[in-house]
Amino acid sequence: MKQRLMMLSMAVAMLASAPLQAAEDRLMLTGSSTIAPLAQEIGKRFEKLNPGVRVDVQTGGSSRGVNDARMKVADIGMASRALKPKEADLTPYTIAKDGISIILHKSNPVAALSNEQIIAIYTGRIRNWREVGGRDKPITVVNKAEGRSTLELFLRHFGLKNSQVKAQTVIGDNQQGIKTVAGNPGAIGYVSIGTAEYEASHGVPIRLLPMAGVTATTDHVRDGSFPLSRPLNFVVKGEPGDLARRFIDFARSPKVNDIIKAQYFVPLGR
Amino acid sequence: MILSKRNTLFRWGADRQLQPLLAALALATAAMLLLIVTFLLLEAWPVVANGRWRDFFTDESWYPLEGQFGLLPMLWGSIAIMVGAMILAAPLGLAAAIFASFYASGFVLRVYQMLMALLAGMPSVVLGLWGLMVLVPLLAAWQPPGASLLAAMLVLSLMILPTVALASASALASVPKPLMAGAAALGMCRKSQIMKVAIPVARHGIWSAMLLAVARALGETMVVLMVAGNVVQYPHGLFEPVRALTANIALEMGYAMEDHRAGLFASGLMLTSIVLLLAWLAGMTAKRELHHV
Amino acid sequence: MSDRLFEAIIYFCTATVVGLLLWIIGDLAYQGLAHLSFDFLFSEPENAGRDGGIGPILVSTLMILGVTFLTALPVGVAVAVWLAEFTRRGSIAGNWVRLSLDVMAGVPSIVYGLFGNAFFCLYLGMGFSILSGGLTLALMILPVLIRTCEAGVSSVSDAWRHGAQALGMSRSSAIWHILLPAASPAIAAGLILGIGRASAETAALIFTSGYVDRMPESLMDSGRTLSVHIYDLSMNVTGGDATAHASALVLLALILILTMLAQSFSGRWLQGRLNV
């Protein structure tokens, strides 16, 4: 028994005492879960091109990314929004853009909505689709949770405050929004364009609504003609270290455009 | 092990070391709760210190970016979801436990146990996804918007059912066999054996199973996030959306700064106090009857 | 007559529960079975998890579960024994411990995650690691484990205890050789509930063992579990649904295997020593 205990504790000790890696070889990113899959794939390609380097990506939300970058707990923070005035002590490096589109259920005959109609729907003044030329169905308004940059962009674009919005469902992530609208013929919501494009082309019953006459496509976000988009940022406090600098440059180079497109974001127009 | 085996009859030294060791472990475990509460307090301190915490009870609704921190609608949302889930899960779970303990045997019993273990291990995100993609559209076709109090109750009851079923079955299995044999010898029909003998004897364990389920229901995050609708309002209808305190923390924590973040931690503290109150009440009302026979 | 009615109600309730479960599993299988393959289990994830497999993630999951149970089982059984054997009925310490455990059972998983991050990752300096994740999970399953084991141990008939004392056995050997084996079904039930809760946990692990999907090389490496992977694929990554369902099937299979192990552990190792 004693022998078995000793063997067990030796095994545990061996497992636990991993050779500590030099600080320069490791890069830690934390923050937005929207950017996390993208950052991880870029990290994997970076690791292949630079053997011996490890890029670790953790999530926790944009504000965590900003806080961790500020406290130097992480080398780079990931924030899926522009920096606020209070965060002027940090430097953002945009690596991609993400457009926001309004989506309807595929079976909804309404082809376009004017800005006034959208505002009226979201503030609860218009409650039935037949008032905007659709079928006789109550409108299910889908809004995003507070603090999210998608929500803030949406509110700012339409000049609304969140307390004015009368929603029937509030969602967190894009996928939740898509699944909610896909399951309810009377729903209207807004999500990332790339995600919506992908799902729509793969048989999910949603449709993207054009905004101010411009159709919602990732190309239109890239050339700037589509009005609603947000930057995906790597944020650093002060000067980035050598490895961090190389990684940020790599992430902003055209070499990773295919990865960005594979995640259904919009590469910077270069 | 070898030590105690050889010295079964004469070694009492082990006993002298055992009790303090066990007591220390138990108190350390309980101390972890204190650590957790301290952590919550530390993080919530900004809103507690500047007196904003009163806003939790006086503000109309929850719009933290506009300075509104009213928690009461979400508190009632959490409670409503929990009560509804318990109304469904408690009888169903107990019935399943009775089935496993008294009506099933052999192959059927093993299949049931596997299935129950599977349900116990079902990740909340999988159950939530099923709710979002299957149940909510069904409800939406009946009564929009679909993601509502009812949806949350239904899916959450599935989530806590294994706790009720497995813990109750365990309590029922601990009923001493001589008692059941005696009841059978008296000619009692099966229903009476169960309702009049087994359940009263296992009362303590079943009660504790229910309490665990209530705690789990109040603490569940992912499932209610996906199917409850998440609109901050007092629960006023089965088909209306509600937001639970836990879902609120999960939804906004990643994007909250300063006061907003502290407010979220304070809501976590409030939730823990509710569970404390419930557990204390349950402890007071449950009579401590004989464990041993 | 009412006996038959009662029996019918019991069967009906159980059938409802089982039916719902089969519906859910059927849905999962329908969506995910096509994606499952031998390669899937052993290869690395690619393209944000949409291609490739879940090999490293399985390893991380097993390592985290290992840490959880190696920590929680001894502590849990020890505290359960203390509560059942060494506390008087109304003792303050015993009541306080029980109350704390019940409250801990109700703390939201995201709070455990944030606490685990602050305590294990930052304060104790373990960083995002399998060790942090495993210890946080151990904290989460302790309440359920202890309460279930306590109920089992305290329901062992006093005749056994008196017999042991009459034989002159010390308290500790009576517990080890007699009481624990006799309470093994309850310990197994507690284990199964614990396995279920631990494998299903997502929010707590995102903040402690992390998001990295690389093959872990030690306990101090970050590694994501199957449930975190499923969450990421279904809620975060575009087009990850099929792989999410396949991973969910693998997770269910893992739970089945672990449950069978737990039952055989309590069956053979504990109970076998009783020869009853």
Side-chain angles (χ1 to χ4, degrees), chain B residues 121-126 129, chain C residues 36 40-43 45 49 52-65 130 137 195-203 205-206 209-214 223-235 240 242-258:
Chain B
M122 189 75 73
S124 39
V125 56
V126 172
L129 260 185
Chain C
L36 270 184
F40 185 69
L41 289 175
F42 292 101
S43 43
I54 51 170
I57 300 172
L58 262 181
V59 173
S60 300
T61 309
L62 288 171
M63 282 172 80
I64 292 180
L65 285 178
I130 290 181
L137 273 189
I195 291 173
R197 184 86 198 261
S199 340
E201 200 35 62
T202 318
L205 289 172
I206 293 182
S209 65
Y211 186 79
V212 173
D213 62 2
R214 201 183 296 117
R224 64 162 81 161
T225 58
L226 266 176
S227 46
V228 173
H229 190 58
I230 296 171
Y231 173 72
D232 194 49
L233 281 175
S234 57
M235 297 310 292
T243 330
H245 285 108
S247 309
L249 284 174
V250 175
L251 183 58
L252 289 181
L254 184 66
I255 293 169
L256 265 181
I257 296 175
L258 289 176

XYZ file of all heavy atoms in Angstrom, chain B residues 121-126 129, chain C residues 36 40-43 45 49 52-65 130 137 195-203 205-206 209-214 223-235 240 242-258:
563
model
N -25.228 13.346 -16.908
C -24.015 13.885 -17.482
C -24.243 14.740 -18.712
O -23.294 15.227 -19.304
N -25.490 14.927 -19.078
C -25.774 15.721 -20.271
C -25.279 17.141 -20.042
O -25.707 17.805 -19.108
C -27.289 15.728 -20.492
C -27.730 16.326 -21.784
S -27.429 15.248 -23.178
C -28.678 14.026 -22.930
N -24.372 17.604 -20.886
C -23.875 18.965 -20.674
C -25.013 19.955 -20.810
O -25.880 19.804 -21.667
C -22.863 19.160 -21.807
C -22.559 17.821 -22.321
C -23.754 16.979 -22.064
N -24.977 20.987 -19.980
C -26.073 21.951 -20.022
C -26.157 22.615 -21.389
O -27.238 22.977 -21.840
C -25.903 22.998 -18.931
O -24.554 23.341 -18.792
N -25.021 22.745 -22.082
C -25.063 23.400 -23.376
C -25.787 22.504 -24.394
O -26.532 22.995 -25.245
C -23.649 23.791 -23.858
C -22.729 22.602 -23.911
C -23.710 24.429 -25.205
N -25.622 21.178 -24.295
C -26.314 20.272 -25.215
C -27.807 20.319 -24.973
O -28.613 20.427 -25.906
C -25.787 18.832 -25.047
C -26.624 17.856 -25.833
C -24.349 18.751 -25.488
N -29.101 23.604 -26.192
C -29.191 23.627 -27.646
C -30.434 22.898 -28.132
O -31.154 23.381 -29.005
C -27.974 22.925 -28.260
C -26.864 23.808 -28.761
C -25.827 22.949 -29.446
C -27.383 24.836 -29.751
N -18.746 11.094 -36.930
C -17.905 10.284 -36.064
C -17.052 9.317 -36.861
O -17.511 8.734 -37.821
C -18.779 9.456 -35.118
C -19.171 10.061 -33.776
C -19.938 9.034 -32.983
C -17.957 10.484 -33.005
N -11.542 10.699 -35.962
C -12.092 11.816 -35.203
C -11.613 11.776 -33.762
O -11.339 12.797 -33.149
C -13.625 11.746 -35.282
C -14.326 12.895 -34.639
C -14.273 14.157 -35.182
C -15.061 12.703 -33.481
C -14.933 15.214 -34.600
C -15.724 13.757 -32.892
C -15.664 15.010 -33.450
N -11.518 10.566 -33.230
C -11.161 10.457 -31.824
C -9.704 10.768 -31.553
O -9.334 11.085 -30.436
C -11.451 9.041 -31.323
C -12.914 8.678 -31.170
C -13.037 7.227 -30.779
C -13.562 9.543 -30.126
N -8.859 10.633 -32.571
C -7.440 10.728 -32.271
C -6.712 11.888 -32.927
O -5.590 12.181 -32.556
C -6.731 9.419 -32.657
C -7.143 8.282 -31.769
C -8.067 7.356 -32.205
C -6.634 8.170 -30.505
C -8.467 6.324 -31.375
C -7.030 7.139 -29.665
C -7.942 6.209 -30.102
N -7.326 12.548 -33.891
C -6.556 13.599 -34.561
C -6.785 14.948 -33.910
O -7.673 15.130 -33.082
C -6.918 13.641 -36.044
O -8.301 13.532 -36.204
N -7.676 18.975 -33.696
C -8.705 19.799 -34.330
C -8.078 20.781 -35.318
O -6.994 21.316 -35.072
C -9.329 20.559 -33.158
C -8.360 20.478 -32.056
C -7.504 19.278 -32.280
N -11.788 23.747 -35.160
C -12.540 22.621 -34.636
C -13.559 22.068 -35.600
O -14.167 21.034 -35.336
N -10.861 17.984 -38.737
C -9.965 17.302 -37.823
C -10.747 16.606 -36.736
O -11.896 16.231 -36.918
N -10.125 16.400 -35.589
C -10.746 15.582 -34.566
C -10.690 16.205 -33.195
O -10.601 17.429 -33.058
N -10.758 15.351 -32.188
C -10.826 15.864 -30.817
C -9.806 15.186 -29.917
O -9.951 15.197 -28.706
C -12.240 15.656 -30.229
C -12.670 14.207 -30.401
C -13.236 16.580 -30.860
C -13.924 13.897 -29.632
N -8.763 14.601 -30.531
C -7.782 13.860 -29.743
C -7.259 14.599 -28.524
O -7.429 14.146 -27.386
N -6.612 15.761 -28.703
C -6.052 16.470 -27.541
C -7.123 16.833 -26.527
O -6.866 16.881 -25.324
C -5.442 17.737 -28.152
C -5.344 17.477 -29.595
C -6.386 16.502 -29.946
N -8.332 17.097 -27.035
C -9.405 17.518 -26.132
C -9.827 16.347 -25.251
O -10.110 16.528 -24.055
C -10.572 18.064 -26.954
C -10.063 19.250 -27.764
C -11.717 18.463 -26.071
C -11.040 19.771 -28.748
N -9.859 15.149 -25.823
C -10.176 13.971 -25.015
C -9.143 13.794 -23.921
O -9.476 13.528 -22.764
C -10.177 12.718 -25.901
C -11.526 12.233 -26.407
C -11.336 10.994 -27.240
C -12.450 11.927 -25.250
N -7.872 13.972 -24.283
C -6.810 13.799 -23.284
C -6.967 14.822 -22.170
O -6.896 14.491 -20.976
C -5.423 13.927 -23.955
C -4.334 13.935 -22.908
C -5.199 12.795 -24.922
N -7.213 16.090 -22.545
C -7.409 17.123 -21.511
C -8.578 16.771 -20.615
O -8.514 16.904 -19.398
C -7.682 18.482 -22.148
O -6.622 18.889 -22.957
N -9.676 16.327 -21.237
C -10.869 15.986 -20.454
C -10.542 14.907 -19.438
O -10.885 15.020 -18.259
C -11.993 15.491 -21.378
O -12.182 16.420 -22.423
C -13.280 15.305 -20.614
N -9.842 13.841 -19.903
C -9.535 12.746 -18.985
C -8.605 13.208 -17.876
O -8.775 12.833 -16.707
C -8.910 11.584 -19.765
C -9.923 10.848 -20.645
C -9.238 9.851 -21.560
C -10.945 10.132 -19.778
N -7.641 14.061 -18.226
C -6.724 14.541 -17.190
C -7.467 15.375 -16.145
O -7.250 15.226 -14.942
C -5.599 15.370 -17.828
C -4.536 14.516 -18.480
S -3.324 15.464 -19.418
C -2.257 16.048 -18.151
N -8.344 16.255 -16.614
C -9.074 17.094 -15.661
C -9.971 16.242 -14.778
O -10.030 16.422 -13.556
C -9.896 18.162 -16.406
C -8.951 19.160 -17.054
C -10.850 18.870 -15.472
C -9.647 20.254 -17.802
N -10.684 15.291 -15.390
C -11.547 14.421 -14.593
C -10.714 13.639 -13.593
O -11.140 13.411 -12.454
C -12.324 13.471 -15.504
C -13.480 14.110 -16.256
C -14.144 13.098 -17.167
C -14.509 14.665 -15.290
N -4.768 22.615 -16.292
C -5.615 21.469 -16.011
C -5.792 21.307 -14.508
O -6.869 20.945 -14.023
C -4.992 20.228 -16.663
C -5.127 20.362 -18.177
C -5.627 18.961 -16.167
C -4.586 19.218 -18.946
N -13.433 21.986 -10.314
C -14.496 21.000 -10.480
C -14.682 20.176 -9.213
O -15.812 19.844 -8.830
C -14.166 20.055 -11.641
C -14.591 20.483 -13.028
C -14.375 19.340 -13.981
C -16.035 20.906 -13.047
N -19.637 12.512 -11.509
C -19.120 12.371 -12.870
C -19.981 13.167 -13.830
O -19.483 13.885 -14.693
C -19.123 10.888 -13.306
C -18.088 10.103 -12.519
C -18.826 10.760 -14.789
C -18.149 8.622 -12.768
N -21.289 13.026 -13.653
C -22.200 13.746 -14.531
C -21.975 15.249 -14.461
O -21.802 15.905 -15.481
N -21.965 15.769 -13.244
C -21.799 17.209 -13.093
C -20.463 17.675 -13.652
O -20.372 18.683 -14.343
C -21.907 17.569 -11.607
C -21.851 19.045 -11.320
C -23.201 19.685 -11.428
N -23.099 21.130 -11.578
C -23.251 22.003 -10.598
N -23.504 21.575 -9.391
N -23.152 23.293 -10.840
N -19.415 16.905 -13.361
C -18.072 17.325 -13.788
C -17.945 17.320 -15.308
O -17.386 18.241 -15.894
C -17.018 16.422 -13.162
N -18.430 16.267 -15.960
C -18.266 16.217 -17.412
C -19.126 17.240 -18.110
O -18.810 17.675 -19.208
C -18.640 14.848 -17.987
O -18.607 13.889 -17.019
N -20.229 17.638 -17.454
C -21.147 18.537 -18.129
C -20.748 19.997 -17.955
O -21.300 20.862 -18.603
C -22.558 18.330 -17.580
N -19.794 20.261 -17.106
C -19.498 21.627 -16.720
C -18.772 22.410 -17.808
O -17.836 21.901 -18.419
C -18.645 21.599 -15.447
C -18.633 22.863 -14.671
C -19.936 23.594 -14.709
O -20.936 23.033 -14.235
O -19.987 24.710 -15.259
N -19.224 23.602 -18.061
C -18.596 24.432 -19.091
C -18.075 25.737 -18.519
O -16.899 26.046 -18.607
C -19.612 24.772 -20.196
O -20.366 23.624 -20.491
C -18.916 25.261 -21.429
N -19.006 26.515 -17.952
C -18.665 27.876 -17.547
C -17.502 27.906 -16.566
O -16.624 28.763 -16.653
C -19.889 28.558 -16.939
N -15.035 25.902 -16.336
C -13.743 25.526 -16.904
C -13.182 26.556 -17.862
O -11.968 26.638 -18.047
C -13.871 24.177 -17.620
C -14.058 23.021 -16.651
C -14.362 21.757 -17.411
C -12.808 22.832 -15.829
N -14.050 27.357 -18.477
C -13.555 28.351 -19.427
C -12.587 29.294 -18.740
O -11.588 29.719 -19.332
C -14.726 29.145 -20.036
C -15.573 28.231 -20.906
C -14.222 30.305 -20.870
C -16.702 28.933 -21.583
N -9.428 26.079 -16.703
C -8.519 25.259 -17.481
C -8.377 25.792 -18.890
O -7.445 25.442 -19.597
C -8.976 23.806 -17.514
O -10.194 23.709 -18.194
N -9.266 26.661 -19.295
C -9.031 27.459 -20.486
C -9.574 26.921 -21.788
O -10.414 26.042 -21.854
N -9.047 27.491 -22.850
C -9.625 27.399 -24.184
C -8.704 26.691 -25.166
O -9.109 26.304 -26.243
C -9.878 28.852 -24.637
C -10.593 29.020 -25.925
C -11.967 28.867 -26.004
C -9.906 29.383 -27.072
C -12.632 29.060 -27.198
C -10.564 29.578 -28.260
C -11.922 29.422 -28.321
O -12.576 29.617 -29.492
N -7.457 26.494 -24.801
C -6.446 25.979 -25.721
C -6.797 24.559 -26.143
O -7.175 23.736 -25.321
C -5.077 25.991 -25.010
C -4.033 25.309 -25.850
C -4.678 27.405 -24.697
N -6.658 24.244 -27.434
C -7.001 22.903 -27.865
C -5.785 22.077 -28.269
O -5.898 21.118 -29.015
C -8.022 22.943 -29.009
C -7.473 23.647 -30.244
O -6.302 24.068 -30.230
O -8.219 23.776 -31.223
N -4.643 22.449 -27.761
C -3.422 21.710 -28.049
C -3.308 20.504 -27.130
O -3.923 20.458 -26.062
C -2.228 22.649 -27.815
C -0.967 22.249 -28.518
C 0.154 23.205 -28.159
N -0.085 24.552 -28.608
C -0.217 25.586 -27.795
N -0.151 25.429 -26.500
N -0.421 26.789 -28.274
N -5.904 23.374 -21.163
C -6.521 22.443 -22.100
C -8.025 22.517 -21.973
O -8.558 22.604 -20.876
N -8.722 22.460 -23.084
C -10.170 22.548 -23.014
C -10.777 21.167 -22.930
O -10.254 20.199 -23.437
C -10.739 23.318 -24.208
C -10.506 22.648 -25.544
C -11.431 23.189 -26.581
N -10.968 24.446 -27.122
C -11.398 24.947 -28.278
N -12.293 24.302 -28.983
N -10.942 26.104 -28.706
N -11.941 21.101 -22.266
C -12.619 19.808 -22.164
C -13.622 19.674 -23.296
O -13.913 20.618 -24.013
C -13.379 19.680 -20.853
O -14.313 20.759 -20.778
C -12.452 19.725 -19.676
N -14.211 18.482 -23.398
C -15.191 18.218 -24.434
C -16.367 19.185 -24.328
O -16.859 19.683 -25.339
C -15.704 16.783 -24.324
C -14.973 15.769 -25.185
C -15.495 14.391 -24.925
C -15.127 16.111 -26.646
N -16.818 19.450 -23.090
C -17.995 20.310 -22.985
C -17.677 21.740 -23.420
O -18.509 22.393 -24.046
C -18.566 20.279 -21.575
O -17.540 20.409 -20.636
N -16.475 22.223 -23.106
C -16.090 23.564 -23.571
C -16.011 23.573 -25.092
O -16.429 24.526 -25.752
C -14.733 23.991 -22.960
C -14.247 25.280 -23.569
C -14.867 24.141 -21.467
N -15.488 22.481 -25.658
C -15.357 22.365 -27.112
C -16.735 22.403 -27.758
O -16.961 23.105 -28.741
C -14.654 21.045 -27.432
C -14.242 20.900 -28.858
N -13.394 21.789 -29.502
C -14.545 19.961 -29.783
C -13.207 21.398 -30.737
N -13.884 20.288 -30.939
N -17.669 21.639 -27.163
C -19.028 21.622 -27.705
C -19.635 23.013 -27.639
O -20.266 23.488 -28.590
C -19.908 20.618 -26.925
C -19.373 19.206 -27.109
C -21.345 20.690 -27.380
C -20.033 18.196 -26.214
N -19.420 23.689 -26.524
C -19.967 25.033 -26.362
C -19.402 25.972 -27.409
O -20.128 26.710 -28.073
C -19.635 25.556 -24.963
C -20.017 26.990 -24.758
C -21.344 27.351 -24.637
C -19.058 27.990 -24.704
C -21.704 28.672 -24.463
C -19.411 29.307 -24.529
C -20.735 29.642 -24.415
O -21.083 30.945 -24.254
N -18.093 25.926 -27.603
C -17.468 26.822 -28.572
C -17.995 26.553 -29.976
O -18.337 27.458 -30.721
C -15.943 26.634 -28.525
C -15.221 27.751 -29.239
O -15.541 28.919 -28.980
O -14.354 27.447 -30.070
N -18.062 25.260 -30.346
C -18.474 24.912 -31.694
C -19.917 25.285 -31.970
O -20.268 25.672 -33.074
C -18.305 23.407 -31.923
C -16.891 22.949 -32.219
C -16.860 21.436 -32.290
C -16.416 23.530 -33.531
N -20.785 25.145 -30.971
C -22.197 25.381 -31.272
C -22.599 26.827 -31.072
O -23.531 27.296 -31.711
C -23.073 24.464 -30.422
O -22.779 24.688 -29.067
N -21.952 27.559 -30.174
C -22.389 28.921 -29.888
C -21.458 29.982 -30.440
O -21.827 31.130 -30.534
C -22.501 29.147 -28.369
C -23.522 28.294 -27.680
S -25.130 28.318 -28.445
C -25.659 29.955 -28.135
N -20.048 25.167 -36.928
C -19.478 24.095 -36.120
C -20.491 23.109 -35.607
O -20.161 22.226 -34.818
N -22.205 20.455 -36.794
C -22.093 19.010 -36.996
C -21.037 18.422 -36.072
O -21.252 17.400 -35.408
C -21.746 18.710 -38.456
N -19.880 19.094 -36.006
C -18.820 18.589 -35.132
C -19.242 18.661 -33.671
O -18.890 17.800 -32.864
C -17.532 19.406 -35.319
O -17.482 19.883 -36.647
C -16.329 18.567 -35.022
N -20.046 19.692 -33.334
C -20.512 19.805 -31.948
C -21.351 18.599 -31.577
O -21.204 18.020 -30.493
C -21.318 21.088 -31.774
N -22.235 18.195 -32.482
C -23.085 17.041 -32.174
C -22.264 15.771 -32.074
O -22.504 14.932 -31.196
C -24.170 16.889 -33.246
C -25.257 17.916 -33.115
N -25.418 18.953 -33.977
C -26.228 18.045 -32.191
C -26.449 19.687 -33.601
N -26.966 19.162 -32.511
N -21.291 15.626 -32.958
C -20.447 14.426 -32.885
C -19.685 14.399 -31.567
O -19.586 13.360 -30.904
C -19.484 14.397 -34.068
N -19.152 15.550 -31.160
C -18.420 15.604 -29.883
C -19.342 15.286 -28.729
O -18.935 14.641 -27.759
C -17.812 16.987 -29.679
O -17.081 17.390 -30.796
N -20.602 15.736 -28.821
C -21.548 15.448 -27.735
C -21.759 13.943 -27.615
O -21.841 13.400 -26.505
C -22.874 16.159 -27.993
N -21.826 13.246 -28.770
C -21.989 11.792 -28.719
C -20.791 11.143 -28.030
O -20.943 10.224 -27.217
C -22.144 11.239 -30.135
C -23.516 11.460 -30.771
C -23.503 11.006 -32.215
C -24.586 10.703 -30.015
N -19.595 11.638 -28.362
C -18.400 11.077 -27.719
C -18.450 11.311 -26.216
O -18.126 10.432 -25.414
C -17.120 11.705 -28.314
C -15.893 11.226 -27.561
C -16.991 11.356 -29.776
N -18.894 12.509 -25.822
C -18.984 12.811 -24.388
C -19.949 11.869 -23.697
O -19.684 11.357 -22.612
C -19.435 14.265 -24.207
C -19.521 14.758 -22.769
C -18.178 14.626 -22.083
C -19.977 16.200 -22.716
N -21.100 11.612 -24.328
C -22.068 10.695 -23.722
C -21.463 9.303 -23.582
O -21.648 8.633 -22.555
C -23.344 10.645 -24.567
C -24.194 11.915 -24.515
C -25.424 11.757 -25.361
C -24.599 12.229 -23.089
N -20.726 8.861 -24.613
C -20.096 7.548 -24.514
C -19.097 7.532 -23.360
O -19.026 6.569 -22.588
C -19.402 7.207 -25.840
N -18.346 8.616 -23.206
C -17.367 8.709 -22.117
C -18.059 8.599 -20.763
O -17.603 7.900 -19.863
C -16.627 10.049 -22.219
C -15.506 10.275 -21.215
C -14.389 9.304 -21.465
C -14.987 11.701 -21.318
N -19.201 9.301 -20.638
C -19.925 9.256 -19.362
C -20.392 7.839 -19.070
O -20.308 7.359 -17.929
C -21.123 10.218 -19.399
C -20.623 11.644 -19.462
C -22.019 10.033 -18.200
C -21.701 12.619 -19.758
N -20.874 7.141 -20.104
C -21.313 5.766 -19.907
C -20.171 4.906 -19.389
O -20.333 4.142 -18.429
C -21.806 5.183 -21.233
C -23.294 5.266 -21.498
C -23.609 4.631 -22.831
C -24.076 4.581 -20.405
N -19.003 5.052 -20.022
C -17.866 4.232 -19.614
C -17.492 4.544 -18.170
O -17.281 3.640 -17.342
C -16.663 4.484 -20.544
C -17.015 4.048 -21.953
C -15.433 3.755 -20.048
C -15.942 4.365 -22.964
N -17.429 5.855 -17.842
C -17.042 6.227 -16.483
C -18.057 5.722 -15.464
O -17.705 5.278 -14.376
C -16.904 7.740 -16.366
C -15.692 8.335 -17.084
C -15.706 9.842 -16.986
C -14.412 7.793 -16.481
